[in-house]
DNA sequence: CTGTTAGCGCTTTCAC
DNA sequence: GTGAAAGCGCTAACAG
């Protein structure tokens, strides 16, 4: 059996109260001699408090849950890394929950995490969540009174702390870059347009077009699913348009890879025949033969920030309702070049 | 406040014992009428057992810990995905622990996980662990009496269940492939040779050489660190050897990417001037302009298997000491070709 | 300065 | 059929 506080009490002759007080740094009136005896016993018997028992009485577990769609997705694994690192630095632990973008699982995990007594949840809602579903998740967390911070994907109508990237500005930067290079027929491989992030990137795209006096053509927008397959399919769609598209802006790197491969397969050279911009700046993008111009998101830092927010919310008991916005940064590499009349 | 079992007792008029019995399916003698009343109340009051309290009395948390070096590493994130998926299927949860390959953190996390009452640990020891350190970690888990399964990296002298890949056979397959293509001067970009997996891949390499009557030249082995930088540095080393190397076997894909980029930078064409084989078969290897021939490891499945093993060990209370060995599989793509005399 | 006591929310033995 | 009571390991009023 594991050593318990009782064992220390028996061993030292003091009561469990005294032991607890000393171990929790609340022994204001207890002489050093007593403390020493206790600490010695703790060391000797190798005592460590049972955190389950502590959790039951303190109603704190120093554990948070991270609800994401899929850790094997590079974006999320970097996020998880940041989250875990910052947790460790603060003496917290992390329960990892993959929903595979199924709203139903969002709800299940929220409930389970609450049952396990996590002190807070870092929530990145499922791709298949429309506004109604997303609100359902939020309502559940509120009902269960578990503090939460929304990450990456957020909802304007929810009053909570969220850690996001300014996708509008990312979309704007990517598009502006292409426009400055002289491109005018710029296609987009968007993510699901039900998602705010996808919408915002599109908004940024439109803003840039407007600024350059280029009219918006909805035909040039292919609504994909943020995966590689979407990129491959988008190429087919875009080339089939016969619209003299000379540049493609993919709303994430995975779909950009699909576009990359799809274009190659069709005999297109990047960037000569087609410029390509991605979004996420996964480290692979740099390794590609034609290193990909991409919008970098400070994912790791977002994870760190989210943990700091949730911890401060837990400690203070107040919902900051802050919206921490990170700025994405366009990383120009070799997949984009000036438009040449042909 | 959350609804407790007492609330259900008060509401229904039955005692907490009865409620508990019914809810835990141990109500052999309790009439359906009573059960119905209780279930109705549970539903109405939205009662869910507090798992911390349950954990305290049952000494089971249905939670396991996963100790790995770094989730943001694709290999581990795929492992984590498998682990998490299988946990969910079985109603378990996962605490994620990144050690960044620091042995000290292995120990810290093992202790913390035990304090939190996890039922078992999936342990992938740190890269910086020599045998002595690794044994220290194992001894700690044994002392704390927490069941564990070793993943990927294992020790022959430890009596425990482990889930691994037959790295010898992977090394053999990769090398044989190159030998069959006619290559004779095959360099290796190894991982730390203190690690068994790296040693085993090397053993497979040697076996294949022997089979083809090619003598082993230790100069051709570059000991790297499984990262991209190692690959870049290895290229410099290998080209500097002046040994007419025509093929490189990288002991993982990350270092192979380094080799890939390094070779390009030096003006080498793959596979014309140099054949290249990786190990891990990260999805990205397929996307490269010259898709990488690589040894595929069924990482996801290993995660799944590890969870099944740990759960059965926890449930049965017996250490199976099984060593589950997965077979890697060579995936031939475009980065390897026949040796041509020049 | 230190100990007694109650209680966190639950399971389980035993008694009626 | 059901309930009282003890106990899991700990914290925290309160008492002295």
């Amino acid at each position: 059996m594991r050593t318990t506080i009782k064992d220390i009490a028996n061993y030292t002759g003091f009561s469990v109260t005294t032991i607890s007080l000393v171990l929790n740094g609340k022994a204001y009136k207890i002489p050093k001699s007593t403390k020493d005896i206790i600490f010695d016993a703790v060391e000797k018997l190798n005592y460590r408090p049972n955190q389950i028992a502590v959790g039951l009485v303190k109603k704190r577990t120093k554990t948070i849950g991270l609800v994401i769609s899929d850790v094997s997705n590079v974006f999320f694994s970097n996020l998880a890394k940041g989250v875990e690192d910052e947790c460790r630095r603060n003496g917290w632990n992390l329960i990892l929950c993959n929903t595979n973008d199924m709203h139903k699982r969002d709800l299940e995990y929220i409930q389970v995490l609450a049952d396990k007594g996590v002190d807070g949840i870092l929530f990145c809602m499922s791709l298949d969540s429309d506004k109604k579903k997303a609100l359902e998740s939020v309502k559940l967390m509120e009902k269960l009174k578990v503090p939460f911070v929304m990450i990456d994907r957020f909802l304007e109508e929810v009053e909570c702390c969220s850690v996001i990237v300014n996708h509008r500005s990312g979309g704007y930067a990517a598009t502006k870059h292409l426009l400055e290079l002289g491109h005018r027929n710029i296609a987009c491989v968007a993510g699901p347009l039900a998602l705010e992030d996808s919408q915002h990137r599109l908004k940024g795209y439109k803003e840039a077009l407007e600024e350059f006096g280029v009219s918006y053509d909805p035909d040039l927008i292919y609504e994909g699913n943020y995966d590689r397959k979407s990129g491959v399919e988008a190429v087919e769609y875009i080339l089939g348009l016969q619209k003299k598209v000379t540049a493609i802006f993919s709303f994430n790197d995975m779909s950009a890879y699909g576009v990359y491969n799809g274009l190659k397969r069709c005999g297109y050279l990047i960037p000569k025949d087609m410029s390509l911009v991605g979004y996420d700046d996964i480290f692979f993008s740099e390794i590609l033969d034609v290193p990909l111009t991409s919008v970098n998101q400070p994912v790791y830092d977002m994870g760190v920030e989210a943990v700091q927010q949730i911890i401060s919310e837990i400690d203070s008991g107040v919902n900051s309702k802050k919206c921490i916005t990170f700025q994405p940064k366009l990383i120009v590499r070799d997949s984009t070049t000036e438009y040449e009349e042909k």
Side-chain angles (χ1 to χ4, degrees), chain A:
Chain A
M1 277 309 297
R2 226 181 125 105
T3 309
T4 71
I5 199 170
K6 257 187 196 160
D7 297 327
I8 304 292
N10 289 148
Y11 187 83
T12 59
F14 292 104
S15 74
V16 291
T17 310
T18 307
I19 315 292
S20 174
L21 253 27
V22 169
L23 261 33
N24 288 295
K26 298 184 180 171
Y28 312 117
K29 311 175 185 170
I30 292 171
K32 189 161 178 302
S33 57
T34 302
K35 287 185 190 171
D36 285 345
I37 294 172
I38 291 175
F39 283 127
D40 283 353
V42 163
E43 184 112 343
K44 194 173 227 160
L45 301 187
N46 236 300
Y47 171 70
R48 303 202 108 223
N50 175 330
Q51 294 304 326
I52 303 194
V54 173
L56 184 59
V57 33
K58 283 207 187 159
K59 293 176 178 336
R60 283 297 190 81
T61 53
K62 283 223 161 202
T63 304
I64 61 170
L66 174 65
V67 178
I68 56 180
S69 68
D70 179 4
V71 244
S72 69
N73 173 317
V74 182
F75 178 87
F76 289 115
S77 69
N78 277 306
L79 181 73
K81 181 80 190 308
V83 169
E84 208 277 341
D85 271 5
E86 188 63 15
C87 276
R88 187 182 32 68
R89 276 181 219 120
N90 291 278
W92 288 62
N93 287 104
L94 212 218
I95 295 184
L96 177 70
C97 306
N98 288 165
T99 63
N100 282 304
D101 279 320
M102 290 157 72
H103 169 66
K104 217 182 111 217
R105 292 214 182 132
D106 282 1
L107 298 175
E108 284 169 9
Y109 268 127
I110 289 170
Q111 188 57 262
V112 167
L113 287 171
D115 294 347
K116 294 235 170 183
V118 297
D119 296 333
I121 293 178
L122 264 27
F123 184 65
C124 180
M125 66 187 183
S126 287
L127 263 187
D128 84 340
S129 299
D130 49 33
K131 268 185 195 164
K132 204 178 124 232
K133 285 178 176 172
L135 279 173
E136 198 183 348
S137 303
V138 167
K139 287 264 175 300
L140 181 58
M141 292 188 281
E142 284 170 348
K143 194 186 99 191
L144 296 171
K145 300 206 193 326
V146 38
F148 64 99
V149 166
M150 295 194 73
I151 306 191
D152 192 43
R153 300 169 187 166
F154 94 122
L155 287 174
E156 268 157 5
E157 39 274 278
V158 176
E159 282 223 324
C160 69
C161 175
S162 32
V163 174
I164 55 167
V165 174
N166 187 334
H167 295 301
R168 198 199 40 67
S169 111
Y172 173 82
T175 313
K176 187 178 175 200
H177 169 63
L178 292 169
L179 288 163
E180 284 175 344
L181 288 171
H183 297 279
R184 288 300 174 266
N185 294 316
I186 303 170
C188 287
V189 182
L193 290 170
L195 291 178
E196 304 237 345
D197 60 53
S198 209
Q199 266 177 33
H200 286 180
R201 289 172 206 184
L202 187 61
K203 205 179 284 176
Y205 165 84
K206 288 182 190 167
E207 271 181 37
L209 287 187
E210 205 179 330
E211 194 176 311
F212 280 72
V214 177
S215 65
Y216 170 69
D217 177 358
D219 281 355
L220 293 181
I221 311 303
Y222 180 85
E223 182 174 357
N225 210 18
Y226 279 149
D227 56 8
R228 211 173 124 215
K229 200 164 135 264
S230 296
V232 176
E233 290 165 357
V235 168
E236 207 171 316
Y237 168 80
I238 292 165
L239 297 183
L241 281 176
Q242 309 280 16
K243 292 229 185 186
K244 295 194 199 142
V245 169
T246 61
I248 298 177
F249 169 28
S250 256
F251 282 20
N252 77 334
D253 275 5
M254 276 312 286
S255 61
Y257 299 153
V259 171
Y260 185 96
N261 290 147
L263 286 174
K264 288 241 160 171
R265 208 169 302 154
C266 295
Y268 276 68
L269 291 178
I270 301 170
K272 196 173 149 282
D273 302 329
M274 187 76 82
S275 282
L276 176 62
V277 179
Y279 203 110
D280 280 348
D281 191 30
I282 292 177
F283 77 96
F284 286 135
S285 298
E286 201 186 333
I287 300 177
L288 283 172
D289 282 60
V290 181
L292 187 69
T293 294
S294 187
V295 178
N296 179 281
Q297 307 194 67
V299 201
Y300 180 93
D301 295 340
M302 287 168 65
V304 170
E305 180 69 37
V307 171
Q308 290 171 352
Q309 288 300 324
I310 195 83
I311 289 183
S312 91
E313 196 164 310
I314 292 165
D315 284 346
S316 70
V318 313
N319 179 345
S320 75
K321 295 180 187 170
K322 259 190 249 175
C323 181
I324 317 277
T325 307
F326 281 79
Q327 286 304 325
K329 199 174 140 196
L330 182 75
I331 308 290
V332 178
R333 298 210 181 83
D334 306 344
S335 67
T336 44
T337 193
E338 286 191 2
Y339 167 66
E340 287 174 44
E341 193 88 37
K342 290 197 183 131

